[in-house]
Amino acid sequence: DDGYSVYKDLLTKIDSALAKDFRHDLVDDAARRADMLFDGDMDQWERFANTLKLKMYLRMVNAKPAEAEAGIKALYAANAKFLEVGAGLTNFEDKPNASNPFYEQNIRRLNTDDNLRASVTFVSWLQANNDPRIVSYFGSANASGIHQGDYASTSTAYPNAAIFQQSATDPVWFISEAESYFMQAEARERYFAGADAKTLYEEGVIAAFGQVGLTPGALLTGTYAYPVGGTFQEKLEAIIVQKWASFPGTHDLEGFFEQNRTGYPKYSPVYSTSPTYVPGELVYAKNGVTGGAFPKRLIFPDVERGRNSNTPAEVPLTQKVWWDKKP
């Protein structure tokens, strides 16, 4: 099925679920144990469903603007409640087959702890903003990184590039608390003249720092202050870049999707070795093979094509998905 039809069908299914009675939490012990996200708290499931709808409508804002606006306004007209806690798995243990699956595969099974190295793109942004999360993400405020896509380099500095810090008990978020607040901030800016957007943005930044046991402190009123007097695009950029900075180790692919949807973080016109490079802007891989064009979609792997005859025909990696229609 085409992507738009899939979205429409999923939204119908979510509405069908939301039509059910959520007034009573699960009390049966077995049922509660089976609910690994919310321990039987049906209010949180209702919030999750509403927040998922909000995410899907925001994903549609450029391709189906009228539907996206109507869907989001309907949520607010119905006084929909959104997540104020993260929705994810948080009960991992530091033992085989019970730990965070990314840690389990990357460190325990591959038997290495240095597979994931810092990128100059992100490290330079954290350092430029004196963001303390750099220590949580990469182990040191002085972390060094690898220039994106420079895999043919013989630089002696690269083997010492900072390693991403992973733990066996790291949570896996489906929708984090921070992401929920950032999405709400965007919705308020788009359709409600910015009412409460600043507050929701700040809640998102605070929650993002809270994921790694930190607080933004003076950054919230300084470097990361919400651009109240700015244009819509300046406000959107602030929201999306802070959302991007909250993703490492949780659900990083969302950063890829959101960049394709919004254009933030921006693409850099120069490579990250240039003296005019702006920290945090995305650079085309030094050894890229797509003529400067950035990836716009995930592609089906060969194992899927080999086992599923219904796999759609190959689409170029650089071809936009249906909702990627930035103005």
Side-chain angles (χ1 to χ4, degrees), residues 292-303:
F294 283 80
K296 294 295 180 181
R297 61 173 58 236
L298 304 180
I299 58 174
F300 290 99
D302 287 341
V303 65

Side-chain angles (χ1 to χ4, degrees), residues 42-59:
M42 300 309 295
D43 176 67
Q44 295 300 336
W45 277 109
E46 185 175 5
R47 289 173 180 270
F48 178 82
N50 287 328
T51 310
L52 182 57
K53 284 184 67 177
L54 179 62
K55 173 184 279 195
M56 294 176 71
Y57 282 128
L58 285 173
R59 195 63 54 80

